[in-house]
Amino acid sequence: DGRLTFSPGNQTVDLPFINFMKRYGTVFLNAYTNSPICCPSRAAMWSGLFTHLTESWNNFKGLDPDYVTWMDLMEKHGYHTQKYGKLDYTSGHHSVSNRVEAWTRDVDFLLRQEGRPMVNLTGDRKHVRVMEADWRNTDKAVNWIKEEAINLTQPFVLYLGLNLPHPYPSPSAGENFGSSTFLTSPYWLEKVTYEAIKIPKWSSLSEMHPVDYYSSYTKNCTGDFTKQEVRNIRAFYYAMCAETDAMLGEIISALRDTGLLKKTIVIFTADHGELAMEHRQFYKMSMYEGSSHVPLLVMGPGVQEQQQVPDVVSLVDIYPTMLDIARIPVPQNLSGYSLTPLLRGKAENELPRPSWVLSEFHGCNVNSSTYMLRTGKWKYIAYSDGRSVLPQLFDLTADPDELTNVAIKFPIIVRSLDKILRSVVNYPKVSSHVQDYNKRQFISWKQSLGQNYSNVIANLRWHQDWLKEPKKYENAIDKWL
């Protein structure tokens, strides 16, 4: 959640290395993902293209494996490149459940697809390395800096992808389980200031926007939660952020120990945030701030120190920025714009960048293609074909918690924002294209299973609900097809 990198969000947890980057670099106050889910978001970041252009519709469908990323171009131009950890931007990752849930989101049924969010404390006050896989990748990156980078005669670019602060798998939810367990140790939990944790306000279920209700239901969040449960989920999430911050610290320390820190640009960002029980949801897949607002901090040579940039920016801007830093010509067809003028503290009026950012979502846990335009104080969210599902409009200055949809109150603003949105993406057409894609994918998957279909579909992540009335749900799918 990008809001943790600046005030007041950063008062809930101690993030010393994020603070170090703020002191010696630039923090972006309004950085957004172009799609609030792993694979589509990373596809946008690695390609510099909006999601409707990459056609990375869900966590199964990303970039083609041979797509030329900014890192490929840097390698071609003489950079030594190295990647560790989670990449997740090409096709074919994630569980079968994840795919089928995305393909069947237009089916007229409601099934819980995730485990109920919960917390789990492990180890003792000395237990530092909770997310072992991330630590192993961090160690590899640190060793590479100390053993390889220091001896290179050419410039290098190193990428480290972490899984934290992602919730952990919950095996109790079934074989293709979701990840609904917030796990940490007492060591990290002590970094969290419990008194500073805000308990989010929730609308009543009957007042929720229909898409929000669907998300809440499929994420298993419509039941009763005590304030203590909600506070714990948020605290454990913040503790997981503290552990992530420590991994960033390992990289910064390795660069400092080798004398490389002064001549290396460091960028810290994320594919999406975490709702952590805001709006009666956990996870991502939403245009609310907790899910769509990402951290973006940059420090290094030529970057303004102690600078806070209010301009709206998004992950597609990483591609042209990396090329700009490396003095490589930037291709013309990109969706993003280089951040280097902002990093150097140039006045806004010199910059040929739009005053809006676009985010869109087409995957599971949401029963409609979703498009978000953020500009000035406004966040406009349009759904599907723009008619069948009502839009949302939030004034983030007056209503930072996004509790009051003012779309009906400001029809002229809605019209003007919708016009901008349609000039960027023909969203009714894209939504219709995604619906066709989902149906085609589902049909070919169903055919590939033959006689096994009924058994396989019943035992995906939604099995606890499905097995109560399997015929009813199969019939709903037949009707949709």
Side-chain angles (χ1 to χ4, degrees):
D1 178 352
R3 298 168 302 173
L4 286 181
T5 62
F6 52 84
S7 199
N10 61 351
Q11 287 153 12
T12 49
V13 57
D14 190 21
L15 302 171
F17 295 100
I18 290 287
N19 291 336
F20 181 88
M21 285 193 72
K22 278 164 62 182
R23 194 175 320 129
Y24 294 105
T26 289
V27 59
F28 287 87
L29 301 177
N30 290 298
Y32 287 87
T33 178
N34 301 105
S35 188
I37 192 168
C38 322
C39 200
S41 169
R42 288 158 192 266
M45 191 271 285
W46 284 102
S47 69
L49 297 174
F50 290 139
T51 301
H52 61 275
L53 300 174
T54 63
E55 299 197 343
S56 176
W57 303 132
N58 54 49
N59 254 351
F60 175 59
K61 189 177 185 307
L63 295 177
D64 294 331
D66 55 356
Y67 190 90
V68 180
T69 67
W70 48 261
M71 193 180 254
D72 297 330
L73 278 179
M74 289 175 85
E75 188 166 25
K76 214 165 94 181
H77 283 81
Y79 270 72
H80 191 97
T81 64
Q82 183 63 49
K83 305 198 238 333
Y84 291 111
K86 187 173 177 176
L87 289 165
D88 247 11
Y89 61 86
T90 56
S91 307
H93 295 291
H94 293 82
S95 70
V96 175
S97 285
N98 213 285
R99 265 168 256 176
V100 178
E101 288 158 16
W103 297 335
T104 56
R105 62 190 205 166
D106 292 319
V107 180
D108 188 19
F109 57 41
L110 255 186
L111 295 153
R112 289 170 300 167
Q113 299 170 3
E114 309 284 353
R116 178 185 162 101
M118 56 185 271
V119 298
N120 186 4
L121 197 61
T122 185
D124 56 21
R125 282 193 164 79
K126 293 192 186 71
H127 189 38
V128 175
R129 295 185 162 219
V130 181
M131 175 45 102
E132 285 178 19
D134 277 353
W135 280 106
R136 280 197 297 274
N137 285 319
T138 303
D139 291 343
K140 284 180 192 164
V142 164
N143 292 335
W144 186 83
I145 291 167
K146 289 183 169 175
E147 290 161 22
E148 305 276 335
I150 193 166
N151 298 316
L152 291 172
T153 50
Q154 64 197 117
F156 71 85
V157 55
L158 166 67
Y159 170 87
L160 171 61
L162 302 174
N163 208 61
L164 269 187
H166 195 297
Y168 288 74
S170 304
S172 59
E175 53 147 352
N176 284 311
F177 41 76
S179 298
S180 52
T181 301
F182 292 80
L183 172 76
T184 195
S185 71
Y187 178 88
W188 297 113
L189 205 53
E190 283 175 0
K191 314 276 183 205
V192 178
T193 308
Y194 258 75
E195 307 75 70
I197 295 173
K198 235 172 95 170
I199 301 289
K201 279 203 188 93
W202 286 352
S203 307
S204 68
L205 293 172
S206 60
E207 286 170 350
M208 286 171 95
H209 186 277
V211 174
D212 287 339
Y213 179 78
Y214 179 90
S215 297
S216 227
Y217 195 97
T218 55
K219 290 175 179 179
N220 209 342
C221 289
T222 48
D224 290 332
F225 288 82
T226 64
K227 277 196 167 160
Q228 193 50 40
E229 271 183 289
V230 173
R231 184 176 280 113
N232 274 338
I233 288 168
R234 292 174 75 71
F236 276 57
Y237 169 64
Y238 298 143
M240 290 156 73
C241 292
E243 187 177 355
T244 311
D245 180 80
M247 296 177 202
L248 167 65
E250 293 289 305
I251 300 299
I252 291 172
S253 303
L255 290 169
R256 194 175 48 204
D257 295 348
T258 50
L260 289 169
L261 190 59
K262 284 203 164 39
K263 48 185 178 180
T264 304
I265 289 183
V266 180
I267 301 177
F268 179 89
T269 190
D271 52 353
H272 53 74
E274 162 65 56
L275 286 157
M277 303 314 285
E278 289 181 29
H279 303 280
R280 203 185 264 270
Q281 294 184 45
F282 78 109
Y283 242 19
K284 54 266 183 163
M285 302 117 166
S286 159
M287 294 305 170
Y288 287 124
E289 290 288 279
S291 158
S292 65
H293 195 143
V294 294
L296 180 57
L297 301 102
V298 185
M299 70 175 189
V303 177
Q304 282 275 91
E305 295 192 4
Q306 296 184 26
Q307 178 181 223
Q308 297 194 331
V309 175
D311 304 54
V312 286
V313 300
S314 68
L315 293 178
V316 287
D317 296 332
I318 299 283
Y319 193 118
T321 304
M322 297 305 281
L323 298 188
D324 215 4
I325 290 168
R327 298 191 177 86
I328 298 166
V330 178
Q332 289 303 296
N333 63 340
L334 297 179
S335 304
Y337 293 78
S338 172
L339 299 168
T340 48
L342 291 173
L343 292 170
R344 293 190 185 123
K346 284 207 178 158
E348 280 177 49
N349 53 13
E350 298 173 33
L351 305 178
R353 78 168 21 255
S355 59
W356 49 264
V357 290
L358 169 72
S359 190
E360 49 189 298
F361 184 74
H362 309 279
C364 60
N365 291 119
V366 178
N367 57 342
S368 167
S369 283
T370 307
Y371 307 83
M372 183 266 276
L373 193 80
R374 172 73 216 277
T375 180
K377 65 177 186 174
W378 299 110
K379 180 186 284 187
Y380 175 62
I381 306 168
Y383 295 94
S384 184
D385 55 8
R387 286 192 313 276
S388 51
V389 184
L390 291 174
Q392 288 171 296
L393 178 69
F394 297 101
D395 175 346
L396 293 186
T397 308
D399 177 26
D401 298 330
E402 302 167 290
L403 296 170
T404 312
N405 175 13
V406 291
I408 289 166
K409 195 174 161 189
F410 296 107
I412 293 163
I413 302 278
V414 165
R415 271 205 298 277
S416 86
L417 294 178
D418 195 71
K419 198 175 163 189
I420 298 170
L421 179 59
R422 285 171 192 263
S423 74
V424 183
V425 52
N426 180 346
Y427 72 83
K429 190 178 169 190
V430 172
S431 300
S432 161
H433 177 68
V434 175
Q435 284 176 331
D436 293 345
Y437 161 83
N438 285 341
K439 204 169 270 195
R440 281 199 317 275
Q441 291 292 316
F442 183 84
I443 289 167
S444 73
W445 175 76
K446 184 183 178 187
Q447 286 168 347
S448 75
L449 294 171
Q451 299 294 307
N452 280 335
Y453 164 71
S454 292
N455 184 43
V456 173
I457 198 161
N459 286 290
L460 297 177
R461 281 199 303 199
W462 50 35
H463 68 280
Q464 287 168 336
D465 284 351
W466 187 287
L467 290 168
K468 289 173 193 160
E469 299 180 85
K471 267 276 142 299
K472 172 183 158 185
Y473 299 120
E474 276 202 47
N475 290 342
I477 286 179
D478 291 342
K479 192 177 167 189
W480 165 64
L481 291 176

